Amino acid sequence: MSTVIEQPVEARLVAAAPRMPSIPATLHYDRRDPFAVRMTFPAPATLEGVEVCWTFARELLTAGLEGPEGHGDVRVRPYGYDRTVLEFHAPEGTAVVHVHSSEVRRFLQRTTELVPVGGEHLQVDLDHDLAELMRDAC
């Protein structure tokens, strides 16, 4: 069984320009980092012209489907019938994107099949991770 899930999603960037076109994005989940998900935007879709990747808690994404969640760099909330809003806050500014909630739910279902909620700790090798951290600190 694969340890990584990648799912393309259609994201709509909310901007001052009306009817901003959709931009491609990818939701990513890796069993080796079981508490986190990543959302990646390709270089052509960013102002800097480089790929941008945001990492945040799978739990935040799940909870944000039902109500507003997050107080830091990433915030998630439902919007309308089948939309989820993700806000990405950085010193350079804030990006707000809408994605179809059904796509997010499908992605989260796939992650749960790979690593059930509550079983994340079973995927983490704390001894190995601590040894790596200590090796890098020397």
Side-chain angles (χ1 to χ4, degrees):
M1 174 185 270
S2 175
T3 63
V4 175
I5 295 170
E6 288 188 342
Q7 179 176 314
V9 294
E10 179 184 304
R12 182 168 303 278
L13 183 63
V14 177
R19 301 293 302 161
M20 186 75 173
S22 295
I23 57 174
T26 303
L27 289 169
H28 179 95
Y29 182 79
D30 189 333
R31 160 187 263 166
R32 294 170 297 181
D33 191 5
F35 293 100
V37 296
R38 294 195 321 257
M39 189 167 195
T40 305
F41 299 92
T46 69
L47 293 175
E48 297 83 17
V50 296
E51 182 178 273
V52 173
C53 183
W54 287 84
T55 303
F56 49 97
R58 173 170 73 163
E59 182 179 31
L60 174 67
L61 187 59
T62 302
L65 287 169
E66 303 305 320
E69 289 293 329
H71 301 284
D73 296 343
V74 180
R75 300 171 192 178
V76 184
R77 69 179 184 277
Y79 181 79
Y81 171 68
D82 187 42
R83 296 274 184 198
T84 298
V85 176
L86 292 102
E87 295 180 15
F88 301 101
H89 296 261
E92 301 81 18
T94 300
V96 179
V97 298
H98 288 193
V99 295
H100 289 284
S101 299
S102 56
E103 291 181 341
V104 175
R105 283 188 179 90
R106 183 177 51 218
F107 171 76
L108 289 170
Q109 177 61 38
R110 293 175 64 205
T111 70
T112 301
E113 291 168 3
L114 186 63
V115 178
V117 173
E120 295 92 348
H121 68 284
L122 300 173
Q123 305 299 316
V124 179
D125 184 350
L126 291 178
D127 291 333
H128 175 266
D129 292 346
L130 184 58
E132 286 294 309
L133 182 63
M134 298 305 289
R135 181 182 57 83
D136 292 342
C138 296

